Amino acid sequence: MPKLLKINHIFVEDIPKDIETGILYISINDSIAKHKCCCGCGYSVVTPFSPTDWQITFDGKTVTLYPSIGNWDYSCRSHYFIRKNKVVWAGKMSTGQIQWGRDLDKVAKEEFYKEEE
């Protein structure tokens, strides 16, 4: 299967067990989205919504997820953004760059939840 360049979205109460390629399933109740990797490998990708994870924007017609989706734990190691239902492919990242990003995420989470106390 070729890499996707577009993804449709569906708002659902609960994410279904079986999901289709090319569909971003969004559950506001569960603060999560799920889709099959846009490279075509078939892996399921879960993006939780929170101030320190992903954010979603719905403009009435399309959705945007931020930040990028990096499937570093999958063999495909795909990296892309979903912007206005378009899949925007990003460059590959080195192991060092991936670790740097994970370290930044960890610090951001620690700082965010520290401020809530």
Side-chain angles (χ1 to χ4, degrees):
M1 168 178 253
K3 289 181 177 181
L4 296 179
L5 299 177
K6 183 179 178 193
I7 191 165
N8 295 311
H9 68 277
I10 298 175
F11 288 97
V12 295
E13 194 165 318
D14 297 307
I15 304 289
K17 181 181 174 189
D18 295 319
I19 61 172
E20 293 180 38
T21 299
I23 305 288
L24 177 68
Y25 296 84
I26 303 162
S27 172
I28 299 299
N29 292 340
D30 295 327
S31 298
I32 202 163
K34 186 174 182 181
H35 68 285
K36 287 197 177 184
C37 183
C38 292
C39 83
C41 69
Y43 285 112
S44 293
V45 178
V46 176
T47 49
F49 307 137
S50 81
T52 60
D53 289 301
W54 282 269
Q55 288 83 48
I56 191 165
T57 303
F58 174 60
D59 66 10
K61 187 172 181 176
T62 64
V63 295
T64 296
L65 278 181
Y66 180 84
S68 66
I69 297 160
N71 296 318
W72 315 128
D73 293 329
Y74 298 153
S75 57
C76 66
R77 294 176 60 95
S78 63
H79 184 207
Y80 52 90
F81 292 86
I82 295 176
R83 293 186 182 145
K84 297 190 175 209
N85 286 55
K86 292 182 179 148
V87 180
V88 180
W89 288 93
K92 297 211 179 265
M93 293 176 65
S94 70
T95 301
Q97 289 171 314
I98 293 165
Q99 189 57 53
W100 179 76
R102 286 178 172 166
D103 292 345
L104 283 179
D105 286 346
K106 182 180 176 186
V107 169
K109 285 181 190 311
E110 289 170 354
E111 289 298 314
F112 178 81
Y113 291 108
K114 183 179 185 182
E115 291 174 10
E116 281 194 343
E117 294 176 352

